[in-house]
Amino acid sequence: VNSKPCHCVYLMEFSEPGIFNYSTLLLSETRDALFVGAREAIFELSKKNVTVQWTVAEDPMLMCTLKGKSQERDCLNYIRVLQVIDDDRLYVCGTHAFQPQCDYLNLADFSLHGQPEDGRGKCPFDPSQSFTTVMVDGELYSGTAYNFLGSEPIISKYSPFQSLLRTEYSTSWLNEPSFVFADVIREGRNKAYGEDDKIYYFFTEVSVEYEFFGKLLIPRVARVCKGDLGGQRTLQKKWTSFLKAKLVCSMPELNFVFNVVHDIFILKESDWRDTVIYGVFTSQGNVGLSAVCAYNMTAVEDVFSKGKYMQKATVEQSHTKWVRYNGITPSPRPGACINNQMREQNISSSLHLPDKTLQFVRDHPLLEDPVLPMGNGPRLITKDVNYTQIVVERVRALDGNIYDIIFTGTDKGVLHKSVVYEEGVHTVEEIQLLKNSEPIKNLLLSSETQSLYAGSDSGVVQSPTAFCGRYSSCDGCVLARDPHCAWDRHTAACVNIVDAVGHQPGNLIQNLHGDADKCPSVSPPSVKDYHHVTVKPGSSVELRCLAPSNLAQVNWKSNKTALTEASRFHLIGEQGLLIYSVGQEDQGHYECWSVEWAPAARKNFTRLLAGYILTLDLPPTPPQQTGQITTTTTLSSKETSSTHAAEGNGKTDGAPLTSALAPPSFTTSVLFTNPPQADSSLTPPPSNTIKIQPRHHLPPSSSHNNSIALLLLFLLFFLLFLAALAYNCYMQYLPAPCLRMRAALLGSQKTVHKPEYRACEAGLIEGSGPDKVNVAEEPTQNGSQSTQNLRALRDTGYETEPECGNGQIPSKDDSPSQEKPFDVDCESQPIQFADADEPYC
Ligand SMILES: *[C@@H]1O[C@H](CO)[C@@H](O)[C@H](O)[C@H]1NC(C)=O
Ligand SMILES: *[C@@H]1O[C@H](CO)[C@@H](O)[C@H](O)[C@H]1NC(C)=O
Ligand SMILES: *[C@@H]1O[C@H](CO)[C@@H](O)[C@H](O)[C@H]1NC(C)=O
Ligand SMILES: *[C@@H]1O[C@H](CO)[C@@H](O)[C@H](O)[C@H]1NC(C)=O
Ligand SMILES: *[C@@H]1O[C@H](CO)[C@@H](O)[C@H](O)[C@H]1NC(C)=O
Ligand SMILES: *[C@@H]1O[C@H](CO)[C@@H](O)[C@H](O)[C@H]1NC(C)=O
């Protein structure tokens, strides 16, 4: 899409005014088009963008609203299924006001056939319910709910050649599943055992096998055989090959389990034994961790073909428990696909399977053996994100090795690009794909166009898979360790190796171990190039410096000594160094260094990124600079290191999208606005570059410091207020409530007697449920403690209680701090005290 060398990254967004929920995507490489299913509309996005509307007629809409569903939300037609039938037609289904319908979409004139079929079981009734579908050889496999209430889950096959095949309606088959994904794994050309192709389903369901006080969720993989026809007597029109197993994604060493699967990507290879299944998981409690686990297809297959079955056992009469089945399993193996061995026994289809096998598989669909992840743990664990989608691309790097590149989408519209290296996984990019912070609902990868497509409630975004163009130096390009990117010596640009096929390989520099030694040396900025910054004493200044890549660490030095966070009024943030309240002692040289660990070279690559000379602007102040000072001065490090300044943008560049992307229709927009490289003059960066720096990128601790200052200020005012109040109260300037308080504090000592106190206490006991034991016991032990108790009780909101509580204080041995200041006044106010107090106690 965008292969011309450019220091920006183009994202394309599509949305149509008034249309939402662009969550169903279908790529057609043959037509070079993306089909999008949204609410009441289907789009074909290509050179000629076309739309077809599919709205709900009045009758079904009325029915839907009569059933208590919302007309604006539920009773619309959410397109949920888009599948290819042949070159000319798509099969499309929509929720259609809680009466799912399917139809054929003619691609020649992009119109619906207009003879809708019942979509029950192919498409959910409820747009918010989970579902999955896959079209295999003209037959539609789906996982969804079969009824209006959404309480009957079903995994089924709709075929033009045979009747519906489905799961039993039983909790041992499916127990409140959330469907995530389904796809076919072909046996491939060398079907040595005459095995059938298999369709795998992935979902999270409520476990039956674990005892738990709530509903414990379990991620599952289930499998059916493509050639299944159901049983002859047992399991008529039901799957005879439905088996399911637990998918494990956990950190055993920490005893932490990721038990909710959100999306699956199957990285297919020509031989299924090389196929790898990738999944994104979170945990049920949602502690802000997301994980990616990878599964070897061979391991999955082994569980289904050799695993032990589980069975329901009744313990203590009514209580059932799932335990391992240790008996003899019937032959042929229950749930197995038909293979040559069975054919030799005259079993050529599931209709010929013996009843014993069928009964067994009906009652034992769950396998005990779990599917363990490769490496026995997650490939990737990320803090503070919820991954919603995943796609994976296999790339052959210049070193000839193959790397898996994991793209994950989050619930905040962010895309992460992570690379699996030998020593672990690194996230090399973080990009705000969606302009709104909303979930990525669907993510597709087109290796052909090197593009990603992300669907969300508000639109579809197309993004390249690599952002090499934003590394403007060789070091940055190589240290990014992105298998897509290499530095071209000739053009002095970081290029995508896929686009660079024409380039001479000798000219490309790439080192995925992060060894940038091969890079032509660049002289670092020298002191005479340092940027001069002059600020007024007491103002704050930000010295900008962006990390050149996601893996780099930025260090600051002032006058050659390293700055730490602990330094006075200094704050090292993502965007640079922030100095609050610049003083005399802050003057001097500031240098921003990046440190990047290169595992291959076993050393740190250290580079000077930017240098500043900070001087105080002592009065008289030239008017030009005051403007800079009133706001936080933001300075780009462009001049001092024009080759590095722009590289770090990706990590934090949510904001440019907001300004740049606009509906409707495929609009091209700039994500990363970098200063033109050739421009190394000392002119300040264009104003839009400054605007891009969003406020919220100030590290959180700065607001922390501010809030402490605010708190102190607030405390000061509060104390002043209290003093004023006390004084006014003391001087009797304030009316009754104050007098009461005053009376309570001053005059009570001598006038409160035991009986009164008891009365108060009784009142309190009556009014204060569970604390009554404490109240009844404690006054006898310790006065001050009981005061505490009574004070706590006062918070119940009775206006009367303060007097009761206070009345009790003096009855015990004086607490001088409270009495002394008012001692003199005590006797002069007895009457008022009595007046004010009596009605309450
Ligand atoms: C459809 O999109 C709207 C608007 O963004 C959103 O509020 C709603 O939750 C979406 N509905 C579904 C079923 O995704
Ligand atoms: C999967 O496991 C099998 C058997 O252990 C092994 O031969 C194969 O190489 C593995 N595949 C991958 C992609 O690791
Ligand atoms: C299979 O069927 C053929 C012909 O119907 C019969 O001759 C043969 O004995 C059968 N084999 C088995 C194992 O039942
Ligand atoms: C993840 O999702 C959960 C629930 O949907 C939410 O409470 C939490 O704040 C999210 N975490 C992040 C980091 O977005
Ligand atoms: C740097 O050195 C200058 C002169 O030697 C001194 O005045 C200044 O306080 C120093 N600044 C810092 C931040 O150490
Ligand atoms: C490399 O840099 C990191 C981060 O500054 C530091 O922790 C580490 O000790 C350095 N390693 C070497 C070998 O210098």
Side-chain angles (χ1 to χ4, degrees), residues 288-453:
L289 283 180
S290 287
V292 173
C293 277
Y295 304 88
N296 183 334
M297 198 64 221
T298 314
V300 177
E301 184 53 32
D302 279 353
V303 167
F304 283 111
S305 60
K306 300 186 193 125
K308 287 252 188 295
Y309 299 87
M310 289 198 95
Q311 91 164 343
K312 209 181 338 187
T314 307
V315 286
E316 296 159 10
Q317 312 214 325
S318 64
H319 189 65
T320 60
K321 202 177 151 86
W322 283 77
V323 295
R324 178 199 292 182
Y325 174 78
N326 280 321
I328 299 158
T329 48
S331 171
R333 182 179 161 89
C337 298
I338 307 296
N339 56 22
N340 288 343
Q341 203 187 345
M342 290 191 208
R343 286 189 192 98
E344 277 163 23
Q345 299 168 33
N346 283 351
I347 299 167
S348 57
S349 93
S350 62
L351 292 167
H352 306 148
L353 284 169
D355 271 345
K356 259 200 180 145
T357 294
L358 295 181
Q359 278 158 8
F360 188 90
V361 74
R362 184 189 60 202
D363 299 334
H364 304 82
L366 177 60
L367 296 166
E368 191 203 25
D369 298 53
V371 176
L372 298 173
M374 294 162 79
N376 276 323
R379 273 284 152 94
L380 173 67
I381 297 173
T382 312
K383 262 198 288 188
D384 299 327
V385 296
N386 291 324
Y387 285 148
T388 56
Q389 291 286 309
I390 183 169
V391 293
V392 182
E393 189 183 20
R394 217 162 241 189
V395 173
R396 183 181 290 275
L398 290 182
D399 60 10
N401 293 331
I402 288 183
Y403 294 87
D404 284 1
I405 301 184
I406 303 172
F407 297 94
T408 37
T410 74
D411 63 344
K412 303 279 191 293
V414 176
L415 179 77
H416 286 191
K417 177 179 184 178
S418 312
V419 183
V420 182
Y421 306 113
E422 251 162 52
E423 82 278 1
V425 183
H426 285 292
T427 299
V428 298
E429 297 273 8
E430 268 180 61
I431 291 130
Q432 182 76 38
L433 268 195
L434 308 181
K435 61 181 170 185
N436 302 330
S437 169
E438 58 176 333
I440 293 179
K441 294 257 175 105
N442 206 335
L443 192 62
L444 290 186
L445 170 77
S446 164
S447 297
E448 208 148 293
T449 60
Q450 280 291 305
S451 293
L452 291 165
Y453 300 91

Side-chain angles (χ1 to χ4, degrees), residues 152-181:
E152 185 185 342
I154 178 175
I155 280 179
S156 56
K157 174 168 86 170
Y158 294 83
S159 166
F161 324 114
Q162 66 182 79
S163 56
L164 171 82
L165 202 63
R166 55 163 294 175
T167 40
E168 280 261 331
Y169 183 24
S170 142
T171 52
S172 36
W173 283 48
L174 291 171
N175 193 17
E176 300 180 39
S178 259
F179 294 104
V180 162
F181 188 75

Side-chain angles (χ1 to χ4, degrees), residues 18 20-21 39-40 61 64-65 68-78 97-98 127:
F20 300 96
N21 312 96
R39 195 168 75 186
E40 314 235 290
M61 174 76 85
C64 180
T65 46
K69 301 292 175 186
S70 137
Q71 188 174 340
E72 296 81 44
R73 216 181 47 236
D74 307 323
C75 298
L76 296 172
N77 195 18
Y78 292 78
F98 274 78

Side-chain angles (χ1 to χ4, degrees), residues 585-630:
E585 63 285 0
D586 293 315
Q587 295 188 95
H589 290 198
Y590 288 83
E591 288 167 346
C592 171
W593 293 82
S594 91
V595 182
E596 205 155 339
W597 174 248
R602 310 212 123 271
K603 68 177 189 188
N604 279 329
F605 276 92
T606 310
R607 305 182 274 160
L608 179 58
L609 296 179
Y612 293 95
I613 299 169
L614 185 66
T615 44
L616 272 190
D617 173 27
L618 299 165
T621 317
Q624 254 191 339
Q625 252 147 10
T626 40
Q628 271 191 317
I629 289 155
T630 45

Side-chain angles (χ1 to χ4, degrees), residues 80 116 225 237 280 366 370 474 532 539 588 625 628 637 681 683:
R80 284 291 181 255
C225 307
K237 296 185 185 174
V280 279
L366 177 60
C474 179
H532 288 266
S539 66
Q625 252 147 10
Q628 271 191 317
S637 56
S681 66
T683 49

Side-chain angles (χ1 to χ4, degrees), residues 2 194 203 212 220 225 268 281 285 296 302 307 353 361 395 402 488 505 529 579 604 613 619 621 664 708 736 741 761:
N2 242 300
F203 51 93
F212 195 65
R220 298 263 194 231
C225 307
K268 290 184 185 174
F281 295 79
N296 183 334
D302 279 353
L353 284 169
V361 74
V395 173
I402 288 183
D488 187 332
D529 299 327
I579 307 173
N604 279 329
I613 299 169
T621 317
I708 286 181
M741 180 85 86
E761 189 193 323

